[in-house]
């Protein structure tokens, strides 16, 4: 009986260890947002972030992102205290361009650039902000897909999937440094030309 218990305990420990050590063939962690393909990004409307201190996925089902009012879209999460900024074209034609898929800078200076502010950890008064810039490996916003979701007489609604990786710095204390990565899937209203 003791041998059976030991064998069962060993099997459980082995399963737990092997589950926590899942890696792709190249050694990368497939659950890291930076290693996800478009199909691996959740299809639910969301905004997700992950830092060294915490991570969350925020439901964006009821978020009204209207580029016809302002090309600088922004939203604040009451539950996390985070805020993102995302720049998109107001024009349906520009939104639909195939060459829009790709990597863009962190910031708010051009189409498909993105930035954010978030607490260092859940409930923290200390805030981090995105460092502006572009680095192919460490600081970017990547548009994975843009698809037409629906149309009305004067408007088109697009679903935009993407992922990002940002260097973050403390707002009050610039010596505070973190990295932040995540995914998003937004529904955005644009104007027909």
């Amino acid at each position: 009986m003791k041998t059976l218990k030991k064998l069962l305990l060993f099997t459980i420990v082995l399963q737990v260890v092997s589950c926590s050590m899942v890696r792709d063939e190249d050694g990368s962690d497939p659950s890291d947002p930076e290693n996800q393909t478009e199909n691996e990004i959740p299809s639910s409307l969301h905004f997700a972030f992950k830092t060294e201190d915490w991570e969350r996925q925020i439901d964006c089902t009821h978020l009204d992102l209207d580029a016809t009012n302002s090309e600088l879209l922004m939203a604040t999460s009451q539950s996390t205290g985070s805020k993102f900024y995302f720049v998109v074209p107001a024009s349906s034609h520009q939104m639909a361009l195939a060459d829009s898929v790709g990597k863009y800078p962190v910031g708010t200076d051009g189409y498909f650039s993105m930035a954010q502010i978030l607490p260092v950890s859940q409930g923290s008064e200390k805030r981090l902000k995105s460092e502006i810039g572009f680095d192919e490996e460490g600081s970017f916003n990547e548009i994975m897909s843009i698809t037409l979701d629906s149309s009305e007489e004067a408007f088109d609604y697009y679903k935009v999937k993407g992922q990002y990786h940002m260097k973050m710095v403390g707002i009050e204390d610039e010596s505070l440094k973190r990295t932040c990565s995540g995914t998003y899937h937004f529904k955005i209203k644009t104007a027909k030309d």
Side-chain angles (χ1 to χ4, degrees):
M1 187 72 165
K2 284 186 176 182
T3 306
L4 182 59
K5 286 182 180 179
K6 286 181 182 178
L7 184 60
L8 182 59
L9 180 61
F10 177 74
T11 304
I12 291 170
V13 169
L14 186 60
Q15 286 178 339
V16 169
V17 169
S18 66
C19 287
S20 65
M21 297 179 66
V22 173
R23 298 278 181 207
D24 283 342
E25 289 177 12
D26 64 359
S28 63
D29 179 356
S31 66
D32 186 339
E34 188 175 345
N35 298 323
Q36 293 181 329
T37 65
E38 176 201 343
N39 292 333
E40 293 169 325
I41 295 173
S43 59
S44 61
L45 297 175
H46 75 280
F47 181 78
F49 64 84
K50 178 180 180 180
T51 72
E52 294 88 339
D53 303 300
W54 67 314
E55 61 185 283
R56 292 290 185 273
Q57 181 170 310
I58 302 160
D59 179 19
C60 293
T61 305
H62 302 290
L63 185 61
D64 181 23
L65 294 175
D66 186 349
T68 65
N69 288 331
S70 173
E71 292 181 326
L72 175 61
L73 305 175
M74 67 178 198
T76 302
S77 165
Q78 297 301 318
S79 63
T80 64
S82 64
K83 180 183 283 191
F84 73 80
Y85 303 86
F86 188 38
V87 183
V88 296
S91 158
S92 297
H93 172 74
Q94 286 181 300
M95 181 68 92
L97 294 175
D99 63 357
S100 295
V101 172
K103 289 187 177 180
Y104 294 87
V106 172
T108 57
D109 285 337
Y111 289 152
F112 304 112
S113 59
M114 176 181 275
Q116 68 176 311
I117 295 173
L118 67 148
V120 173
S121 60
Q122 179 71 47
S124 174
E125 295 297 319
K126 294 181 181 178
R127 299 279 189 257
L128 299 165
K129 65 178 179 178
S130 304
E131 288 187 357
I132 307 305
F134 180 77
D135 169 5
E136 186 79 23
E137 300 301 319
S139 187
F140 60 84
N141 179 47
E142 183 173 15
I143 303 298
M144 305 295 281
S145 69
I146 300 174
T147 56
L148 180 63
D149 182 62
S150 60
S151 290
E152 294 177 357
E153 186 175 320
F155 305 106
D156 284 325
Y157 294 85
Y158 285 90
K159 287 192 174 175
V160 179
K161 269 190 182 184
Q163 63 184 358
Y164 63 89
H165 192 84
M166 298 176 180
K167 297 173 186 172
M168 307 291 286
V169 62
I171 293 175
E172 299 87 8
D173 177 4
E174 292 187 4
S175 68
L176 186 60
K177 306 280 187 181
R178 296 288 190 274
T179 58
C180 183
S181 58
T183 63
Y184 55 88
H185 188 192
F186 298 140
K187 185 175 178 181
I188 301 171
K189 180 180 180 180
T190 59
K192 288 184 178 178
D193 301 332

